[in-house]
Amino acid sequence: MSVAANPASVYDIARLARTMLPGHIWDYLNGGAGQERTLGANRAAFHRLSLVPAVLTDVSRRDLRTTLLGAEVAAPVAVAPMAYHRLAHVDAEPATVRAAGAEGLLCVVSTFASHTLEEIAAEATGPLWFQLYCLRDRGLTKDLVDRARAAGYRALVLTADAPMLGYRDRDIRTGFQLPAHVRPANLAGTTGSGATVAELNSVLVDPSVTWRDVAWLRGLSDLPVVVKGVLRAADAQRAVDHGADGVLVSNHGGRQVDGAIATMRALPAVLDAVGDRCEVYVDGGVRRGTDVLRALASGARAAFVGRPVLWGLAADGEAGVRAVLRVYSEELELTMAACGCPDVTSAGPELLAAGVDD
Ligand SMILES: Cc1cc2nc3c(=O)[nH]c(=O)nc-3n(C[C@H](O)[C@H](O)[C@H](O)COP(=O)(O)O)c2cc1C
Ligand SMILES: CC(C)CC(=O)C(=O)O
């Protein structure tokens, strides 16, 4: 059986994906800002939280299900929005959403998807949210919202941490540009070729966005709004004050600010600030089922996964993404059992101890 069919961890799939992709594409997908300190810090923050299992709690029935803004999902693991899945595999976003649907998981589709949001929604059997970059052209931004609503997306995820693309050493070195066959399909006609991803972004994305736009967005439709990229308690509070239904604690996978705080370190203050006024999720460096459990025990409602999904896609298309998602759910289930947690609500702070055992 191939590694993609029977991986022990997402790193098995990463090794395979590495062999499938040209170096400059691998670097764009996997790189971070600057010296990639925050990229590493996201992982380190998980390692610094030890699990303290409870015993003799009856885990003969295990239930990983939860709801995310009312959508029922099989496990508290979701696919983070990522641009241009076609860079990883020709089957691109349609394959990713088929895989997420087959595993009963939520998938967030990027504004910069390489297929239209309607083409992607046509493949979905599970819940979808639409990630929105607020564009310089607000008419176009509103069109995206209307299209997402009409196509059945259940929430809007406003990305707040990328008014301009971060300073990414790897992409600067390679001069990374999109190959001619990969384009932002939702924004057809707005872009030519021959620009770097950062240039393309700066032509389209509005760096003047403020909290007022969150309220504007909230008023455009009846879709709930999640603000993605929050790291400060005060910003989480502002998100709620401006009508957000959810906050995704994220540093964009270490791709925006090198030196930004690790997401698991930022999470507790955000949770304290918003209480139960909105749902709180986390992403960045979630690589194992044990990380998902740490996120739950810290108070997050779900953990979102970025790059490993693209590793799965590159390694084996839809089957590769399924294999990746299954690894998370299976490891999460066994770890919950061994930690005395029969369901996702039974993971609390008593499951965690700060510090590393070397
Ligand atoms: C290749 C790539 C493209 C991304 N594109 C987007 C995007 O279009 N919109 C967005 O909000 N976040 C984007 N992100 C950030 C992810 O949503 C997520 O925050 C991050 O990847 C999580 O960290 P992880 O990759 O360590 O799991 C992208 C990340 C990667 C790796
Ligand atoms: C096209 C970009 C906006 C995608 C992105 O957010 C990223 O590369 O991190």
Side-chain angles (χ1 to χ4, degrees):
M1 202 176 274
S2 78
V3 170
N6 201 20
S9 85
V10 298
Y11 293 115
D12 290 345
I13 300 194
R15 276 188 288 278
L16 199 57
R18 179 79 187 84
T19 68
M20 313 290 273
L21 296 172
H24 61 296
I25 289 182
W26 174 262
D27 278 339
Y28 169 66
L29 300 179
N30 287 284
Q35 289 175 275
E36 304 186 341
R37 297 291 292 256
T38 295
L39 186 59
N42 281 343
R43 287 296 303 135
F46 281 107
H47 290 311
R48 277 197 294 272
L49 286 174
S50 298
L51 290 162
V52 189
V55 295
L56 301 176
T57 64
D58 185 358
V59 289
S60 54
R61 288 167 197 274
R62 294 163 308 280
D63 188 355
L64 274 62
R65 289 173 304 166
T66 190
T67 59
L68 301 175
L69 294 177
E72 289 178 12
V73 288
V77 181
V79 177
M82 286 173 291
Y84 309 123
H85 287 207
R86 188 137 191 227
L87 288 171
H89 193 280
V90 65
D91 294 347
E93 290 86 359
T96 305
V97 301
R98 281 196 300 271
E103 295 300 319
L105 301 179
L106 171 86
C107 183
V108 189
V109 173
S110 170
T111 290
F112 287 93
S114 40
H115 284 253
T116 66
L117 63 90
E118 291 86 0
E119 288 166 344
I120 298 166
E123 302 292 327
T125 55
L128 295 182
W129 292 353
F130 185 70
Q131 177 270 325
L132 194 71
Y133 275 114
C134 198
L135 304 176
R136 290 177 188 273
D137 182 338
R138 292 306 154 88
L140 198 53
T141 312
K142 182 181 180 315
D143 283 351
L144 286 173
V145 171
D146 293 343
R147 286 171 58 190
R149 191 183 178 288
Y153 289 78
R154 301 201 202 172
L156 301 170
V157 178
L158 177 71
T159 296
D161 62 2
M164 301 176 76
L165 226 54
Y167 191 94
R168 301 177 183 172
D169 290 16
R170 296 202 216 189
D171 297 341
I172 291 167
R173 284 193 201 104
T174 65
F176 182 68
Q177 298 186 355
L178 291 179
H181 65 282
V182 181
R183 304 253 59 98
N186 289 316
L187 306 168
T190 57
T191 59
S193 54
T196 64
V197 171
E199 285 162 354
L200 196 66
N201 214 55
S202 78
V203 170
L204 292 165
V205 175
D206 188 352
S208 77
V209 174
T210 69
W211 289 104
R212 274 198 303 279
D213 296 289
V214 177
W216 171 73
L217 187 62
R218 192 68 188 76
L220 282 185
S221 77
D222 54 3
L223 292 176
V225 169
V226 175
V227 179
K228 174 174 184 280
V230 170
L231 294 169
R232 284 193 194 190
D235 281 348
Q237 184 117 32
R238 272 186 206 108
V240 173
D241 292 345
H242 287 80
D245 305 275
V247 164
L248 175 45
V249 176
S250 175
N251 53 33
H252 215 98
R255 293 162 75 80
Q256 285 299 104
V257 178
D258 196 26
I261 186 171
T263 50
M264 284 298 284
R265 203 152 77 85
L267 178 63
V270 167
L271 284 161
D272 279 351
V274 302
D276 55 9
R277 291 190 296 154
C278 76
E279 294 191 354
V280 176
Y281 325 105
V282 68
D283 77 13
V286 178
R287 297 293 177 268
R288 311 227 36 139
T290 50
D291 299 330
V292 178
L293 187 57
R294 288 174 168 102
L296 295 179
S298 300
R301 193 164 182 94
F304 284 65
V305 174
R307 295 173 183 86
V309 169
L310 297 178
W311 299 339
L313 192 60
D316 200 12
E318 178 183 344
V321 178
R322 277 195 79 168
V324 162
L325 297 176
R326 218 173 305 124
V327 160
Y328 282 98
S329 295
E330 286 174 2
E331 190 179 21
L332 175 61
E333 180 178 352
L334 291 182
T335 309
M336 280 171 56
C339 285
C341 300
D343 57 39
V344 295
T345 60
S346 45
E350 60 288 346
L351 186 55
L352 298 173
V356 211
D357 303 301
D358 288 319

